[in-house]
Amino acid sequence: AQSVAQPEDQVNVAEGNPLTVKCTYSVSGNPYLFWYVQYPNRGLQFLLKYITGDNLVKGSYGFEAEFNKSQTSFHLKKPSALVSDSALYFCAVRDNSGGYQKVTFGIGTKLQVIP
Amino acid sequence: EAGVTQFPSHSVIEKGQTVTLRCDPISGHDNLYWYRRVMGKEIKFLLHFVKESKQDESGMPNNRFLAERTGGTYSTLKVQPAELEDSGVYFCASSKRQASSYEQYFGPGTRLTVT
């Protein structure tokens, strides 16, 4: 079975500082990894994904994530946080071992950027 | 291009009543997914349509939940009779292709409150 862990319920960071939102995963095969963001009263928006290739993936709004196979992690990062980045962030994984596999989401991490 | 839309945005019903949620996917997207997020928990998969056929309904909680996608366009999710534990936010998502690497596009969700 596949699973996703987001160990932090909330992350607080000062505006202009770098931010990291953590995600670790477990799959039996190779993972497809995704980050989504949910702004208040909005649906989830796709940020970025790792399928194959370069371990550092760049996405929307200046976000990036690094795939680390040995640590089974896919942490979301941004060099300089904005107040407008405050939202709920979800990590998701899909097993690429073949056959049909649904997406499994993490519990979500609330990011609060403090002015 | 219009995004995924869901109706209603909020619904408050009493235990034992019936509620029907609607999702209109992005035009041309054959794949339609339903998810549910109970407050503070992870986003849980409910089911997946490919056109009008159910590809995977393993996440449906019980037979009080009925999903349909007649004609392969919009989908409805009916809860009958509703129970208190059905409260949560119901998300719909769509994607163009079934390949695991394709991201899903989410609607804003329907917040269901059962009292």
Side-chain angles (χ1 to χ4, degrees):
Chain A
Q2 57 192 36
S3 65
V4 174
Q6 293 182 246
E8 302 153 317
D9 290 337
Q10 181 161 335
V11 170
N12 297 319
V13 63
E15 186 177 24
N17 282 3
L19 70 88
T20 299
V21 182
K22 295 180 180 177
C23 171
T24 58
Y25 66 90
S26 174
V27 294
S28 57
N30 292 318
Y32 288 149
L33 293 155
F34 306 83
W35 274 101
Y36 288 84
V37 59
Q38 184 183 18
Y39 297 102
N41 301 314
R42 305 282 297 276
L44 277 73
Q45 294 180 33
F46 169 76
L47 271 182
L48 50 80
K49 66 181 178 183
Y50 170 82
I51 303 301
T52 187
D54 195 346
N55 288 344
L56 185 64
V57 178
K58 293 187 184 297
S60 307
Y61 312 120
F63 283 93
E64 58 188 30
E66 186 165 12
F67 170 62
N68 187 317
K69 188 172 183 178
S70 63
Q71 296 185 5
T72 62
S73 67
F74 190 57
H75 301 332
L76 181 70
K77 299 182 180 183
K78 187 172 182 180
S80 179
L82 300 172
V83 172
S84 57
D85 293 329
S86 299
L88 191 56
Y89 291 80
F90 290 93
C91 181
V93 68
R94 203 172 200 170
D95 195 328
N96 184 29
S97 58
Y100 175 80
Q101 294 287 351
K102 53 183 172 278
V103 174
T104 297
F105 285 85
I107 200 169
T109 298
K110 183 179 180 181
L111 173 66
Q112 190 73 39
V113 181
I114 303 162
Chain B
E1 179 182 77
V4 177
T5 58
Q6 292 186 244
F7 181 83
S9 57
H10 293 85
S11 180
V12 181
I13 61 173
E14 293 183 352
K15 176 182 172 181
Q17 290 185 322
T18 298
V19 63
T20 300
L21 314 180
R22 173 171 170 145
C23 168
D24 287 76
I26 293 173
S27 178
H29 282 195
D30 288 341
N31 295 275
L32 187 149
Y33 310 81
W34 283 99
Y35 295 89
R36 177 174 71 179
R37 183 172 191 248
V38 174
M39 181 68 73
K41 303 280 188 181
E42 71 272 23
I43 298 171
K44 282 201 169 182
F45 168 85
L46 296 179
L47 89 160
H48 170 204
F49 283 100
V50 178
K51 296 185 179 178
E52 67 274 8
S53 299
K54 292 176 184 174
Q55 171 77 28
D56 181 358
E57 53 183 331
S58 62
M60 294 287 265
N62 50 61
N63 58 10
R64 295 185 293 103
F65 288 75
L66 175 64
E68 295 180 322
R69 193 183 182 195
T70 307
T73 54
Y74 71 91
S75 173
T76 57
L77 179 65
K78 180 189 287 188
V79 185
Q80 179 183 29
E83 298 289 344
L84 298 178
E85 64 265 25
D86 300 334
S87 296
V89 180
Y90 289 77
F91 291 105
C92 174
S94 71
S95 67
K96 186 175 289 188
R97 296 186 181 89
Q98 192 174 338
S100 298
S101 62
Y102 282 91
E103 62 269 24
Q104 298 172 17
Y105 295 85
F106 281 78
T110 293
R111 182 176 296 278
L112 175 64
T113 303
V114 183
T115 63

